Amino acid sequence: ARPRRAGKMAAAGRAWRVAALLPAWRLRAPGRAYGAAAGGGGGGGGRLLLGAAFALGGGAGLYLAARQRLWEHSAAELPAGSLQLTLYQYKTCPFCSKVRAFLDYHGLPYEIVEVNPIMRKEIKFSSYRKVPILLANAGSPLQLNDSSVIISAIKTYLISKRNSLEEIVSFYPPMKTVTEQGKEVFEYGNKYWLMLDEKETKRIYPVNEVRVEEMKWRKWADDWLVHLISPNVYRTPREALASFDYIVREGKFGTVEGFFAKYLGAVAMFFISKRLKKRHHLQDDVREDLYEAVNEWVKAVGKHRLFMGGSQPNLADLAVYGVLRVMEGLEAFDDMMVHTKIQPWYRRMEEVIQKAEA
């Protein structure tokens, strides 16, 4: 059965979807730490308490409320021998949302495995311990990591039939780097490139500027836009508590679980959002950074294009939409719609993806 689209979810679903944003980012983004590790530091009961606050407030609430690990996302049936896809995700993660937006727009059927962000048993098969992970079978099984690599590799495969998916993925080798904290991580330096020959490139990008523009804004979505979500969602104690209040009232929690999710989780996320505000040099009112960012995007799209891709979305459109929609149903999203010029573009994106899914 097809799950309801993210843009049309009930208020409770929207709330718990946003509640797990921070831990999802921490586990996902190579080379960038978006928050303290759940339960990290200290010992004994204090460590367990802090871990519960982060985990319930940041992902386990989603798992407990939903009570389901796997469902099928159906789409238009593809010819025999087509891609068989399984997406391992946190539904709340903006990087996972980007991948879903891409797959939905291209009408690709896929299964979703919702990962428990505390135990992560669902991805115990993988040495790569982050999400999203996409398992793809186009004749042989293959694991794809990193949201932008997933999107670039699958898009290349859809356009070009010269290489197998395995060969295409080999064009995106992980490179080991060291963070400022001295931690070794893997990054993908060419993850915004589509690996096409000259003829294919001309067909997709009639002029080079189109390609450069798409890559620039895909990177912008990863490097800047995602950093604005958590500080805005948990901007005030009231906003933080409102998100977790939805989780508790609409989910299936015991007394202790509900307490941690609603109160300790909200408090933890509120203070972490302040750390992120400082880390990314945001303004005192973080809404202003959000407003400036989305208006910058709208200006880049321009008045004479429906999308940055022209009459249809390109990969930059899908990336920005995927990141922004994780705020739906919360005050930050409503404020963004009222105080910026994003709404016409955003509604067009909703409509075109809905048509692709039909």
Side-chain angles (χ1 to χ4, degrees):
R2 183 192 304 270
R4 298 178 67 183
R5 294 181 62 250
K8 305 301 181 182
M9 295 179 68
R14 291 166 174 163
W16 55 248
R17 179 152 45 90
V18 178
L21 285 171
L22 188 60
W25 292 352
R26 177 178 60 79
L27 293 169
R28 163 59 185 81
R32 295 189 291 272
Y34 290 85
R47 179 175 180 178
L48 177 61
L49 181 65
L50 182 59
F54 276 88
L56 284 175
L62 162 65
Y63 181 78
L64 293 168
R67 297 290 186 184
Q68 55 184 346
R69 294 175 53 195
L70 174 66
W71 67 90
E72 183 176 351
H73 182 107
S74 58
E77 185 174 348
L78 297 179
S82 298
L83 285 172
Q84 297 176 2
L85 304 174
T86 302
L87 177 64
Y88 290 78
Q89 67 155 20
Y90 304 144
K91 192 173 181 68
T92 59
C93 169
F95 296 102
C96 298
S97 179
K98 281 171 44 186
V99 173
R100 293 197 311 271
F102 168 80
L103 296 176
D104 291 341
Y105 174 70
H106 288 87
L108 296 173
Y110 59 99
E111 292 184 338
I112 292 178
V113 176
E114 194 66 35
V115 176
N116 181 334
I118 300 176
M119 302 303 296
R120 289 179 286 167
K121 292 181 179 179
E122 295 80 6
I123 56 173
K124 64 181 180 181
F125 64 85
S126 173
S127 59
Y128 182 83
R129 302 297 290 168
K130 304 168 185 177
V131 293
I133 291 173
L134 186 71
L135 297 188
N137 193 326
S140 60
L142 186 65
Q143 178 176 328
L144 288 75
N145 307 322
D146 187 285
S147 64
S148 293
V149 170
I150 290 170
I151 290 169
S152 294
I154 298 297
K155 182 67 173 181
T156 299
Y157 180 77
L158 295 176
I159 295 171
S160 175
K161 300 302 181 182
R162 293 177 297 103
N163 298 304
S164 68
L165 182 57
E166 185 173 6
E167 290 171 321
I168 291 171
V169 172
S170 71
F171 300 151
Y172 302 92
M175 299 178 294
K176 184 180 293 187
T177 61
V178 180
T179 68
E180 294 178 356
Q181 294 75 29
K183 181 181 179 180
E184 290 187 347
V185 297
F186 289 95
E187 186 56 278
Y188 303 83
N190 55 348
K191 62 186 178 181
Y192 301 109
W193 284 86
L194 301 188
M195 300 304 175
L196 307 173
D197 64 21
E198 184 176 354
K199 182 178 180 180
E200 293 162 345
T201 299
K202 285 292 185 182
R203 177 161 58 89
I204 303 302
Y205 305 108
V207 294
N208 187 56
E209 288 76 12
V210 174
R211 185 180 198 174
V212 171
E213 181 184 51
E214 179 184 77
M215 293 171 61
K216 169 189 173 181
W217 289 97
R218 289 180 66 191
K219 189 174 188 299
W220 175 84
D222 286 351
D223 291 347
W224 177 240
L225 188 61
V226 292
H227 293 296
L228 303 178
I229 305 300
S230 187
N232 274 278
V233 168
Y234 300 106
R235 182 183 60 158
T236 66
R238 177 180 56 81
E239 289 180 83
L241 187 59
S243 297
F244 287 93
D245 181 59
Y246 277 115
I247 299 170
V248 173
R249 287 193 291 108
E250 302 296 335
K252 297 180 180 178
F253 293 92
T255 303
V256 175
E257 293 171 340
F259 176 82
F260 282 131
K262 182 175 179 179
Y263 295 105
L264 295 187
V267 170
M269 292 304 176
F270 170 72
F271 284 106
I272 287 176
S273 71
K274 302 308 174 186
R275 290 173 53 192
L276 294 175
K277 173 182 173 181
K278 182 178 180 180
R279 177 181 300 172
H280 300 298
H281 309 290
L282 304 184
Q283 300 179 49
D284 288 339
D285 184 356
V286 293
R287 283 288 198 274
E288 294 302 319
D289 291 288
L290 178 63
Y291 298 161
E292 289 178 10
V294 297
N295 279 332
E296 183 183 4
W297 164 254
V298 173
K299 182 178 179 181
V301 173
K303 297 180 179 180
H304 305 295
R305 293 188 290 186
L306 295 177
F307 308 99
M308 182 165 282
S311 61
Q312 292 293 320
N314 66 8
L315 298 183
D317 288 292
L318 294 169
V320 173
Y321 173 75
V323 170
L324 291 179
R325 71 173 176 181
V326 297
M327 295 191 298
E328 284 189 11
L330 296 181
E331 184 176 329
F333 181 85
D334 295 337
D335 287 348
M336 178 186 71
M337 286 298 202
V338 170
H339 297 290
T340 73
K341 300 177 181 179
I342 195 73
Q343 185 167 343
W345 171 86
Y346 192 90
R347 298 307 180 200
R348 288 195 295 269
M349 287 297 300
E350 283 188 317
E351 182 178 355
V352 76
I353 290 180
Q354 188 174 23
K355 288 181 179 179
E357 288 183 297

